[in-house]
Amino acid sequence: MAEAILDALGQVLTRWTMGGSAAPAAPAEWRDKLGDDASEAELRLLALSGQFLGALAVIEPAGDVRIRPDIAALPRPPLPDTLRPRARRLLEQLREPTQRRHLLDFLDARGWTLHPSDWMPGPDEEVPEVYAAWQDWAVAETSGPAREALTTESWDGLRPAARLAAFTALRRRDPMQAGALLAEKISGETADIRVRLLEGLAIGLSDADRPLLEGLATDRAPRVKALATSLLARLGHDASGSEDTAELAGFFPVQTKGLLRRTRSIAPVVLKTPAQSNRRTALMEAVSFGAFAQALELPPADLVAAWPWGGDRLADHALAAMAARSGSDAIVDAVAEALTNGASVDPYSLAPLLPRLTSVQRRQTAVQVLRAKDGTFVQALAIAGGDGGIAEAMQTGAGGTLVSALKAEDVKPTDQSAELLALGLLASRPAAEQALEQLAAAGLIVSDPRLDMLRLNAALEHRSEFEGATT
Amino acid sequence: MAIDLKAVEQLAADQTSLKAAAGLAKPSRWSGVGASHDAALVWGECAGSGANPYRVMADLRDMGNKCTCPSRKFPCKHVLALFWLHAEAIVPFPAAETPAWVSEWLGRRRSGGTSPKPAVAVEKDVQAARLAEPEPVEDAAAVARRQAATAKRAEDTERAILDALDALEQWVSDQLRLGLAGFVDEVTIRCRRIGARLVDGKAAALAGHVDELPGRLLALPTGDRVRGATVELARLVLLARAFRADPRDPEVRRAVASAESREMLLGDTTNVPRITAAWEVLAEQVRTRRDGLVSQTTWLLNLSETGPRFAMLLDFFPASVGRRGSAFTPGEQFRGEFVFYPARMPLRAVLVQREAARADGPLLDWPVPATPLDEALTTPLLAEPWATERPLLLPSGRIGFDRSGASWWLPGDGAIMLPIAGEAAGLIAGVELTRTAALWSGNRLAMLAAYTPWGRVGHG
């Protein structure tokens, strides 16, 4: 009977859509309820139809309805329930992608993940590898198993994020095999993926990778080409034009001082016009480190030693960027050392080197920043990210400055929130507890929202110690 | 850190505030009272004139304060009452973990100068505020006159409403005659006209319902709007006729004219269900309406065996009041007493009093839905035919997606698939939903909260 009514209502609705009376088309079951008066009949039919359609009928889906697979449990557990509200508040505050990444890295370093109800990564978001399974789930209809060994056969079966994570892991374990696998499979990938895979190849780079890189140095995609070229340069095989290098060398004459020691130092030519400055910058972006050193007739390490660090910030930054693109690991270390040696640190010039520094190096550099004059936790955060392992945070100059600032007469309830957040992301667990004690003594109440990150830090156990993970 | 009554007197804007605060500084009006471990912050929840309680908080170091009530007075009477409670130790302020809603307020505070001093020295006296005013004595004739005037007003209102409902039915007939295709195209303008007529006719609640009709209709997919219009217009006819049949029926009157006040509801001891039970806060919805009011709805689940399965608290306040804090935290469970507005299937309620939210101990499980699904979907809507949505508890199920990407709720066993309003994304799309609480509009499901193997998930 219900079917018959529903069918009849199709007619009724059609008539009302156009306008006009529908009572003549009413379902047979209802005809005698409508009465004799025409307009009354319409209203009664409306009441019955509306209630039938509104309360007793459900739409059916056209075609299949498919469920998604379960969201996988990640290799690391979610935060304990008691800490989730605080984490949610921090996620609210940290909307900007870099800041959010620091929080994710912090949790990852301690061995935890976020709960999927509080946050899940977008498909293209840069997130720690541990979330690979969730990224793939968000994109795909089906997702493969969370962890699978990467081989020629299994390559295509893995979804992109999982595959990238597996490749990076393989490269760390067995660089030769990873290199061979990549040589076989890379041409089948899109340009974006090729770049990401090539970035993974940078780990444990060696001359064995040279043939593959020389092939990719002629790739169609400009970013792949540029990255392959710079990786080759890091290995010492570069193709900078000799005219360019000679011209660049002209900007940086080498002098020899002293009769006995014969120390080399570089005295940059003073730039007179904007055109000159632009030209020099362009050259520094094009020429590789090895070629530059050769043109100056200096071994690369000596170039670093002879450079007048701190004299010309633009030049410092450009040289650091050059080292990051095309210098060997040893050169990168030497430049980082040179930039953090002095009494004050140059975060601007350090920035290009950061992707090539290990997390241990970044932490050490961050500590030096904190010790330097005017060093701040915010600067250190830009260098080390959500490290969560700096034990001496409060013993540094930056620590002392922060506490003093909070004790000041005219301090406002929202002052220093960026510094406190950065400190919370950088400090080790004991250092965070120490900081909370000192800040309480400086007058901050326990429930001050600026202390959210420090409190999360102090409450969060270091799970990674049980995993034996090294960073 | 302690404050004394003198400070309360100075803080108050005028004697009226003090008097009102005196009336509120009683233990029965307050729940969830606490202080931070360092005694700098105090907070509590106060039963106001609305359905939802107000959250009140203060920083004793500088007398900074905030309340979620819509009052424009600063400080409001609830804040003064909180200070009063503290100054005279009328209730204990146990030391506790600072609730999130207090921390968030702290984070948003501007520096200093939060309490403006009154420009003119106003005569204020705490002791005078304490004295209850004597009831004015009325003679029998005055009482009779007053009652007759009230009855006359009620009669006039009823007549005005009936006339407005006649106009409404005429308007509905016109829409059918002109065609529903045109109605859908011009729904906003046409509803505004009849809405104004309903306001003139004192059918305020129904006017509000009609005001929101265009929003509900246009939220449907284009192909579904004629059916949607039929359902909406039918509801208006059903309600108009129900009113004509019995204008004194409280449920119908509430849907057409206006709801009973909190005082009236609490004063009626015969007709009105009072339930004390364990409850869980499902979700809170804040919606801005076309008429400039903001509605705040809190949905609660009854975790015990007796009484209505759900309670709905509903308050309105002007949009000009600005952003208000919520009254509850979704997921919190507490024992509390609710009084329900009389209805065939009671749902709307006011909170009389509650115990503090349970901080420790395992959470109570959600009950197993007792009625079969098809009955649960239809019975409440048949009992209250003009309702736009009713809450229900779903058994185990999962979210699925059709060819076009629209989401559906699929039962673990059983055939009925329910379309979901809006998008179902994130965790709920990739996990078994052991139990789901949702609003059913007769047509689409709006999820409120669910239990999953990953724990409780709120929605929206």
Side-chain angles (χ1 to χ4, degrees), chain A residues 17 68 72 85 108 160 195 220 237 260 264 278 289 431 433 439:
Chain A
T17 306
R68 295 235 179 102
D108 197 34
V195 171
R220 296 183 312 281
H237 313 287
L260 291 173
R264 306 297 200 93
N278 291 340
F289 200 92
E433 284 164 356
L439 292 167

Side-chain angles (χ1 to χ4, degrees), chain A residues 13 15-21 39-40 42-44 46-51 53-74 78 84 86 89 114-117 120 134 137 411-414 443-449 455, chain B residues 36 38 40-41 61 97-98 100 103-104 106-107 109-111 169 172-173 176-181 224 226-227 230-231 233-234 237-238 241 377-378 381-382 385 398-403 408 410 417-419 426-427 429-432 440-444 454 456-457:
Chain A
L13 249 56
R15 289 191 180 209
W16 279 335
T17 306
M18 295 303 123
S21 71
S39 58
E40 175 65 12
E42 292 299 309
L43 288 178
R44 289 190 190 181
L46 175 65
L48 288 165
S49 313
Q51 195 169 27
L53 293 171
L56 300 173
V58 191
I59 317 170
E60 283 185 343
D64 274 339
V65 176
R66 295 156 92 202
I67 60 175
R68 295 235 179 102
D70 278 345
I71 287 176
L74 297 176
R84 282 176 56 199
R86 202 179 299 277
R89 277 208 299 281
L114 285 168
H115 190 282
S117 167
M120 285 186 75
W134 287 0
W137 179 91
V411 70
K412 297 195 281 290
T414 48
L444 264 65
I445 61 175
V446 163
S447 16
D448 193 319
R455 292 191 64 193
Chain B
S36 58
D38 51 17
L41 306 170
R61 295 171 298 170
E97 185 74 24
T98 309
S103 294
E104 277 157 20
L106 264 187
R109 280 188 73 190
R110 303 223 172 72
S111 58
E169 286 205 6
V172 171
S173 297
L176 294 178
R177 230 179 358 93
L178 296 170
L180 293 182
D224 202 27
V226 165
R227 186 206 60 86
T230 310
V231 172
L233 293 174
V237 171
L238 287 165
R241 296 193 173 205
L377 290 168
T378 53
L381 291 175
L382 291 174
R398 260 192 106 101
I399 306 287
F401 297 86
D402 67 16
R403 264 202 308 259
W408 294 73
L410 281 62
M417 289 189 266
L418 302 176
L427 175 58
V431 71
E432 186 211 337
W440 176 242
S441 71
N443 183 253
R444 278 176 177 75
W454 280 99
R456 186 189 191 280
V457 180

Side-chain angles (χ1 to χ4, degrees), chain A residues 238 240-251 283 286-288 290-296:
Chain A
D238 68 272
S240 308
S242 55
E243 283 172 9
D244 282 349
T245 37
E247 190 184 342
L248 184 57
F251 280 100
L283 286 170
V287 170
S288 78
F292 184 35
Q294 203 173 40
L296 292 173

Side-chain angles (χ1 to χ4, degrees), chain A residues 134-152:
Chain A
W134 287 0
Q135 273 190 310
D136 288 333
W137 179 91
V139 182
E141 286 288 309
T142 57
S143 64
R147 276 178 284 192
E148 200 184 287
L150 190 62
T151 63
T152 326

